[in-house]
Amino acid sequence: GPVAYVFVTVVEKFDLAGYVPGILGSVLRVLFGANGFFPILTLRWGLVGFQYPFHSGIFLVKSDRPKYDMVMVQRAIVNWKDTSGINCHVLMSPCYATQLDSQAFEQAHFLNLQVGPSVVVDLRRYHGLSYKEFQRVALKKGNRRNHHGFFEKKGGTVHVSRDFRDFDEKYAEVSSNLVQLTAQQRSSRGESAVLVPVLPPLMQAICEEHKSEYRRIFGIRVQGEPAGTAVLFEFPAAKLITSDMQGLRHEVARPTKAYFAMLSLTVEKALEEGCDFVDFGPTTLEPKMDVGGRLIECRAGYHTRSMILRSLLKRGVEKFRSQQDEQVKRLESGDKGESDEKFTRAFRSYRLPFIESDFQVCDEDIKKRYGVESKLVRYADAKAVNDSRPVPEKKTKKQLNKEKRKAMKKAKKEAMRRAAEEKRNLERGDINAPSANPTIAPTLKGDDDE
């Protein structure tokens, strides 16, 4: 029977010139880009998967030797690349660090490189909470803003529907244009745009051919003008929502905080509907983390026969290695001055630990490397246990001052009693003052007269 199901997307013209910013990039695109006069800066790029990153593009059938089978499947993919006639210049297999793929790359002769982390909102610990309660527990104080309310005050409206026409009758063209505006802005900053452009036929196919219970359009308008869009895909078995094909008209959306409103409303809806995860993907990390996301390390296996490309790929991913640490430090530095109790701060979204079931295979090395916990503890359950513990009564300033005065009065009385006792002893003349040498006993008065 089958060992695995593998999804492979082949990008016929992957334009390297598109990653060069400024005037130089424009010149290179005209001369050597995918549509240039001499398209020497284009590659045939093979992507193992159908979304970057979607946990993994390799789905193993039940196996008694999962790691061995994963290595064999990855080697079979390379063999297919070399013998199928497609002959991709680069084969890329992205996955989360929790997936078995990342543990098998080296044995299958892939480069195992860290790439940009993905942002996932893990809601499993917050089930049973309202959105406001979620904000208080999961977010630091500065991120608990009412973005939706601000957006509405600025003339914004939200359209979340399974019928894409509820957003706009020409939803395919409108959504495609908005996505391309975002892609152009990212390219102008020297960032990656999209592997495959989101064109109107793709949006129309999602609406007409994809089952309606598994997708929704999330559209926003400002003063009646389309300002942003995204497609929410739903996976009921995994209790997962993904937000994809994000597009914004930034000159309209930015003054109204539309992007933050879209992110926070997606999290709010997922929490209300009992979802476990919202996957926002690997771009624009800060705003996604500020609404409750946590960073998930991503790895990518690269296979190419070109030594030059291998070297370039290694250099190209260097910047990703510090991204995760920088974002966590940013949130930790802002969380230190919070007035919330230590128990609540432990449930901040950005610091949630992995649990064993998050990994396909979880050995002792993985547990130690990622600080994996054995089971998940919901906030409501942990709070019930915490509240049942006896807590010492916190005294008011008035009570503390009263106790201080009482202690001082008692100490004064004790000092007066000792002074009076010493005076009586001296008046009786019964005993000399104690010697400074504790080995010499005090002598009674009158012994010298004998």
Side-chain angles (χ1 to χ4, degrees), residues 413-431:
K413 284 184 178 180
E414 180 65 19
M416 291 174 65
R417 186 188 67 77
R418 288 181 180 177
E421 186 177 351
E422 289 177 3
K423 186 177 180 180
R424 286 195 300 272
N425 290 338
L426 289 173
E427 288 176 353
R428 288 202 309 268
D430 294 337
I431 191 167

Side-chain angles (χ1 to χ4, degrees), residues 207-218:
C207 176
E208 295 178 358
E209 299 177 18
H210 204 78
K211 291 185 177 180
S212 61
E213 60 265 33
Y214 300 137
R215 88 289 182 276
R216 279 182 278 187
I217 194 166
F218 192 138

Side-chain angles (χ1 to χ4, degrees), residues 146-314:
N146 182 6
H147 296 294
H148 186 206
F150 180 83
F151 177 66
E152 286 185 328
K153 287 180 181 178
K154 294 294 183 178
T157 56
V158 177
H159 307 267
V160 182
S161 175
R162 300 195 184 280
D163 185 352
F164 286 24
R165 292 177 181 81
D166 289 346
F167 170 54
D168 197 288
E169 285 294 331
K170 298 182 178 179
Y171 67 90
E173 290 79 7
V174 170
S175 298
S176 176
N177 290 337
L178 290 170
V179 173
Q180 290 184 47
L181 286 174
T182 297
Q184 290 169 8
Q185 187 185 57
R186 290 174 56 191
S187 296
S188 68
R189 298 196 300 260
E191 301 176 9
S192 58
V194 289
L195 286 175
V196 178
V198 178
L199 301 177
L202 176 59
M203 293 299 300
Q204 190 169 349
I206 292 172
C207 176
E208 295 178 358
E209 299 177 18
H210 204 78
K211 291 185 177 180
S212 61
E213 60 265 33
Y214 300 137
R215 88 289 182 276
R216 279 182 278 187
I217 194 166
F218 192 138
I220 57 171
R221 292 177 175 273
V222 177
Q223 304 297 341
E225 181 183 355
T229 184
V231 178
L232 304 181
F233 291 102
E234 301 168 56
F235 301 84
K239 295 186 176 181
L240 165 70
I241 289 179
T242 68
S243 178
D244 299 284
M245 304 179 188
Q246 180 85 47
L248 285 173
R249 193 180 304 278
H250 290 272
E251 66 274 12
V252 177
R254 187 177 289 112
T256 62
K257 305 292 183 184
Y259 186 50
F260 288 93
M262 292 181 73
L263 294 175
S264 59
L265 276 171
T266 302
V267 175
E268 183 175 356
K269 285 186 174 296
L271 187 65
E272 290 174 354
E273 295 172 7
C275 294
D276 286 344
F277 303 99
V278 179
D279 192 335
F280 280 130
T283 58
T284 56
L285 303 183
E286 286 190 25
K288 293 172 181 176
M289 291 187 70
D290 288 347
V291 298
R294 57 176 292 204
L295 296 179
I296 306 296
E297 179 185 334
C298 292
R299 311 293 301 186
Y302 292 92
H303 189 278
T304 177
R305 301 295 183 187
S306 168
M307 296 305 295
I308 296 175
L309 285 175
R310 288 175 70 90
S311 178
L312 291 175
L313 287 168
K314 286 181 179 179

